[in-house]
Each structure stands twice: as structure tokens, then as C-alpha cells.
Amino acid sequence: MTRMISKLFIASRRLHERDQKYVKNVALSLVLQGFSFCGTIFITPLALGFLDQERFGIWLVVSSCFNWISVFNIGLGCGLRNKLAESIAHGDNHSSRKIVSTTYFFVGIIAIGCLITFLILYPFVGWSNLMNVDISMQSEIKYSVLVCAMAFILRLLLSIMMNILEADQNVGLIKIFPFLSNIAVIVSLIIARVFFQSSLLVLCIVILIPEIIVYITLNLVFFRKRYQAISPKLSEIDLPLGKVLIGMGFKFFIIQITMIIIYSTDNIIISQLFNPALVTPYNISFQYMGFAASFFFLLLSPSLAAFSEANIKNDDKWIIYTIKRLIFIWLFFCLGLLILVLFSPFAYHVWIGDRVIIPMTLTVLMAIHAAVQSWNNIFGSYVSGTGKLNVSIIIGIIISTLNIPLSIFLARDAGFGLNGVILGSILCISIISVVIPIQSYLIITRKARWIWNM
């Protein structure tokens, strides 16, 4: 036994340092994601029990709309991640503090700008017409939107900590944010169901405010403990550095916009073409397959910073091995999706009861979407790590332009209904499934030329 333990110890010491970090991040992510997953399972039925299906659908539409705010940092978060990863690798705390301080300063200005712009436009929007509901709900939606806007704008600033953790190859710790947020939200929802009447505004408050409190708390904890040496200071703000960070992150910004157009407009399309109530079954099936996709994504999360480091050091052998390993895992992931589809009627019944009816065809399409998206993420992580994003930008612009009209055509004109909306997204992201693996091959084999190498 002693000899066996000794061999295992020696083997672990031989493991590539990059792989050691990768394994630690994945292990921590799996644990925290598992707890977070359990929390998410409870949140949806609790929220559905608090609101009717139509109001819950409105909440999903409103929250997906304000997810757009996450890209308004114009790529500064991604620029910070890449630049900070370099300074941390060189042990340069002074440069790291400058990068962090400058990022917070510029994102803070953007957040204030977003808030002022929203408050100016806010009174002139017909929110009931936008949501395709009766005018009697105008006031309720109006105040709910105000709460959502302020919460999401504040989260824009607080989310920078996630980019810092990613740059430091501590992706596993990022999962603490949703884990603790879910616990806080569950407690708030239980209290709301006991002491408050059903209201869209109350739901927004009990979901968003606890999350913001968790984000603020974790930011303070990380900057006082782990990242005290690089915590932001006004004296360390470097305005010229802001241009560098924006320049590095601008390509990520364009890609983020295109992806949000693809993934965040579905709820609006459904609400406008049909009714907000139908957003609920669409999103529940999306969440169901999203649980599996999120577990696969957490396996990928540590890879972006690791790919970036390996690319700088020209460690092609490790890159090829890691991509092959991820493809092998993806095959098992697809098998898992098939099992989830087969058990979906039972799972839906246990999860949400009989309050919402979800067609099997919709679940199958959501599984296909999760498989295609996960395949794209494998190669997208590598290409993002190399910083050669021009192809991704072009493809992103093309498919984001096609997605809305294609989804509308398939849903309304072709008669596919809800299925047509997700089918449109599948067809669009399938283009990425072909192009980005080709670019990855060309980069790894040093055959990438012109736009493939930019």
C-alpha cells in the first residue's frame, strides 16, 4: 500500500503544472456547480409557484433583455483577463494592480453612462406593448424593469472579479458566485411566498438583490485576502492603459454581442410572435439541457487561460492532447444528452409538476443545440486563447444577422412554432461548428495565413 501511494505521488508530481491547475479547477468547479445545480432546480418551481406562467415568462424576457448589459464593458473584462494573465505569469504585482484599477475605472464610467442613458429613455417606453401583454400590466412591468436595469448595471462592475479569477487560472472559484447566489435567492423566494403577494416586482427584488449582495461580499473578500496585492486604487489608474485593454478586448466585445443576439433574442421573438406565457416552456426545456451543458462548459472554463499560456510557450503537444481529450469527453456528453431526453417527461414532472407542458420535440432540439454549442466551445476556447479572432468575428456577424429573420420564418411562416425558434439558432451556430475547427487545425499546424491567422 505504501509503495502504491508513493507511485501515485510521484505520478502527480510528473503531471504538467498546467494540467495540475486544470484538474484542480475542474474538481472545484464540479463540486460547486453540483451544489449550484441543486439550487437552480429549486428556484424555477419556487418562482413558478409564486407567479403565474405569463408573469414568469415576462420575467424571463426582461432578464434576457438586460443580459445585453454584460457586453457594455466593450471587451474590457476580456482585455483584463489576457493582459492580467501575462503580468501574473511574470509575478508583476505592480502592473497587475494597474491593470485591475484601470479596468474598474473604465467599466465604472461605462456603468454610470448606461444608467444615465436608461433613466433618460425609461419613461418613454411602452413596456406592456414591448412585452405583448395587456396595458393593465404597464405599471407592474415598468417598476420591475427599473429594478432589473439597476441590478444588471451594478453587476457589470462586480463581475470583473470573475475575469481576475480566470486570468489567475482560478476558474473553479468563479462557481462560488452562482452557488452562494442560488442559496440566497432560494431563501428569499421562500420568505416571499410566505409574507408577500404574487407580484412580478417582488420576484425581481427577491432574485436580483440577494445576488448583488453576494457579488459585493465576494468582491470585498477576494480583494482583502487572495488579491490584496492587486486590489484597485485610484492612484494606480493608467488612462493610456485603458486604450490597450479596450484594443485587446474589442474583438471579444464584438463576439459577445453576436452571441447575445443569438441567445438572448429568442425570448423576445416568442413573446412578440405568440405570448409571454410560451416563453416559460421554452426556457424550462432550455434550462433542462443547459444543466448538462453547464457541466461540460465548466470542464472547458480553465482551458482558455491554459490554452493562452500554452500558445505563448508554443506547447503544441499539450494543446493537441487537450483538444483530443475534450472531444473524447464531448462524445460521452452527447450520450448523456440522449439519456436526458429519454428521461425528460419524468424529470419535468418531478421538477415542475404539471404546471407547464413541454413537447418532446422541443426537448430533442434543445439537446441538439446543447451538443452543437458544446462542440463549438471546445475550439472556441482554443482560438480565444490564441487571440486570433477575426474569423470568429466575421462568422458571428453573419449568423447574428441571419438568426432573427431565420427564427421568425421557421417559427411563424414555416409553422414550426416554438421549435422553429431554437431550430433557427441550431442552423446558425452549426456554421461555427465547421469553420472554427478548421481554423484551429490551421493555427496548430502553422498553416494559418491571412485572416485565419489574425
Side-chain angles (χ1 to χ4, degrees), residues 59 62-70 146-157 159 208 211-212:
W59 152 252
V62 171
S63 59
S64 66
C65 286
F66 282 106
N67 272 328
W68 285 61
I69 292 175
S70 64
L146 180 61
V147 171
C148 285
M150 297 181 71
F152 276 90
I153 289 172
L154 184 56
R155 196 172 73 175
L156 176 68
L157 185 64
S159 297
L208 294 174
E211 181 183 56
I212 292 300

Side-chain angles (χ1 to χ4, degrees), residues 96-109:
S96 296
R97 190 190 288 271
K98 277 192 172 186
I99 294 167
V100 172
S101 302
T102 304
T103 302
Y104 271 93
F105 174 73
F106 278 100
V107 174
I109 291 176

Side-chain angles (χ1 to χ4, degrees), residues 174-193:
I174 293 176
K175 299 304 175 181
I176 293 177
F177 286 79
F179 166 57
L180 294 179
S181 295
N182 283 349
I183 293 175
V185 170
I186 289 171
V187 173
S188 300
L189 278 170
I190 293 172
I191 293 173
R193 291 186 64 173

Side-chain angles (χ1 to χ4, degrees), residues 25-39:
N25 276 303
V26 169
L28 181 59
S29 296
L30 280 170
V31 173
L32 292 175
Q33 185 70 22
F35 285 115
S36 180
F37 165 75
C38 294

Side-chain angles (χ1 to χ4, degrees), residues 41-221:
I41 287 177
F42 287 106
I43 289 175
T44 299
L46 281 172
L48 271 172
F50 185 69
L51 291 181
D52 57 58
Q53 185 171 327
E54 184 178 29
R55 279 178 169 79
F56 185 69
I58 293 171
W59 152 252
L60 292 171
V61 174
V62 171
S63 59
S64 66
C65 286
F66 282 106
N67 272 328
W68 285 61
I69 292 175
S70 64
V71 304
F72 287 172
N73 64 16
I74 56 176
L76 278 164
C78 296
L80 171 141
R81 181 190 63 208
N82 285 16
K83 193 71 175 176
L84 186 60
E86 293 179 17
S87 63
I88 289 176
H90 292 100
D92 190 348
N93 286 339
H94 180 65
S95 295
S96 296
R97 190 190 288 271
K98 277 192 172 186
I99 294 167
V100 172
S101 302
T102 304
T103 302
Y104 271 93
F105 174 73
F106 278 100
V107 174
I109 291 176
I110 293 170
I112 293 171
C114 287
L115 181 60
I116 293 172
T117 303
F118 172 79
L119 292 176
I120 292 172
L121 300 176
Y122 168 71
F124 303 102
V125 178
W127 297 104
S128 58
N129 291 332
L130 186 64
M131 300 297 162
N132 193 25
V133 295
D134 191 83
I135 190 67
S136 62
M137 299 182 66
Q138 170 74 8
S139 179
E140 184 179 1
I141 296 174
K142 184 177 180 180
Y143 291 113
S144 301
V145 166
L146 180 61
V147 171
C148 285
M150 297 181 71
F152 276 90
I153 289 172
L154 184 56
R155 196 172 73 175
L156 176 68
L157 185 64
L158 297 172
S159 297
I160 295 174
M161 177 52 69
M162 296 185 180
N163 298 115
I164 295 173
L165 290 168
E166 191 174 6
D168 195 28
Q169 296 191 46
N170 280 311
V171 179
L173 292 176
I174 293 176
K175 299 304 175 181
I176 293 177
F177 286 79
F179 166 57
L180 294 179
S181 295
N182 283 349
I183 293 175
V185 170
I186 289 171
V187 173
S188 300
L189 278 170
I190 293 172
I191 293 173
R193 291 186 64 173
V194 175
F195 294 102
F196 296 96
Q197 291 184 342
S198 175
S199 165
L200 179 62
L201 176 59
V202 172
L203 181 73
C204 292
I205 291 172
V206 300
I207 287 181
L208 294 174
I209 301 304
E211 181 183 56
I212 292 300
I213 293 172
V214 168
Y215 274 57
I216 291 173
T217 303
L218 288 175
N219 270 264
L220 292 174
V221 170

